[in-house]
Amino acid sequence: WAALGAYAFARRQGLSEAAAFTSALAFALGGFLVARLTDVNVVASAAWLPWLFLLVDRLIAGAPAAHRGREAALLALTLGMAFLAGQPQIALVGLLAVLAYGLYLSWATRQHGRVIGLWVAALLLGVALTAAQWLPGRELAQLSVPAGAMDAESLASSSLHPRDLVGLVSPFDSGTPAGWVGYVGLLPLLLAVLAPFLAPPRT
């Protein structure tokens, strides 16, 4: 599902079938999803990310006026699925990513208020669809670990240290790649750098 979404989004961006297929492999078989195969809920949430990008792109930059309501409904449903997959942290990262992407598209395409309003409404509806999960979860949290029980050091124990960013290109830099999940391979990174120079000019 992750690969299919990445392929569809890449094709939406005008990439060739071969380039889209490479993009799909890089995303679905990259370090993050493969390293998290034992965390099914993480993979299930992350697999919806390219679909979110695809639907935001279609809603803001491509859908005919008559189809925008349908695209907004699909975006809301997809966002809801990402949250209900069981890993709200991953879904929240995805929500922030598509917020940034939607803002960029709105600026780049000079969209009017109605389209932006549909996009915002779709995101709000997507979050509302998950209320049956996060409202009881919020109540449970208040009955479990008391607020302030964890200090700042404990909360930041799994944070990414800036020196670990070298793992993007060299996962064995620290001796073992077991704790690093951001590596996608040197070939995809190289292709990403070369893409602006290899892509044909847009007409």
Side-chain angles (χ1 to χ4, degrees):
W1 189 245
L4 186 60
Y7 179 86
F9 179 62
R11 290 290 287 165
R12 168 77 188 168
Q13 299 306 303
L15 274 66
S16 67
E17 291 184 358
F21 183 73
T22 303
S23 301
L25 290 182
F27 179 70
L29 300 180
F32 180 79
L33 289 182
V34 171
R36 296 294 185 182
L37 282 177
T38 55
D39 300 323
V40 178
N41 52 338
V42 173
V43 175
S45 292
W48 288 99
L49 182 58
W51 294 100
L52 288 172
F53 274 92
L54 174 65
L55 289 167
V56 168
D57 194 289
R58 281 168 49 174
L59 173 61
I60 296 179
H67 297 161
R68 284 175 184 153
R70 181 193 65 188
E71 299 297 338
L74 286 173
L75 175 58
L77 181 61
T78 301
L79 181 60
M81 290 299 295
F83 273 97
L84 292 173
Q87 189 69 19
Q89 298 95 323
I90 299 298
L92 182 58
V93 170
L95 174 59
L96 294 175
V98 296
L99 271 173
Y101 185 56
L103 288 172
Y104 163 74
L105 284 180
S106 300
W107 170 79
T109 59
R110 302 293 192 271
Q111 283 294 351
H112 52 77
R114 186 173 184 276
V115 173
I116 297 174
L118 268 177
W119 166 61
V120 173
L123 296 182
L124 292 175
L125 178 59
V127 173
L129 289 174
T130 68
Q133 182 181 77
W134 60 263
L135 282 178
R138 182 175 180 274
E139 183 179 357
L140 177 62
Q142 294 173 341
L143 300 173
S144 55
V145 180
M150 295 182 68
D151 56 24
E153 184 178 353
S154 298
L155 290 171
S157 60
S158 298
S159 299
L160 178 67
H161 195 281
R163 68 170 175 267
D164 292 330
L165 291 175
V166 72
L168 286 171
V169 294
S170 179
F172 293 95
D173 181 71
S174 60
T176 172
W180 179 254
V181 295
Y183 182 66
V184 297
L186 291 178
L187 181 59
L189 289 175
L190 177 63
L191 291 174
V193 172
L194 295 177
F197 306 99
L198 298 178
R202 295 198 173 190
T203 56

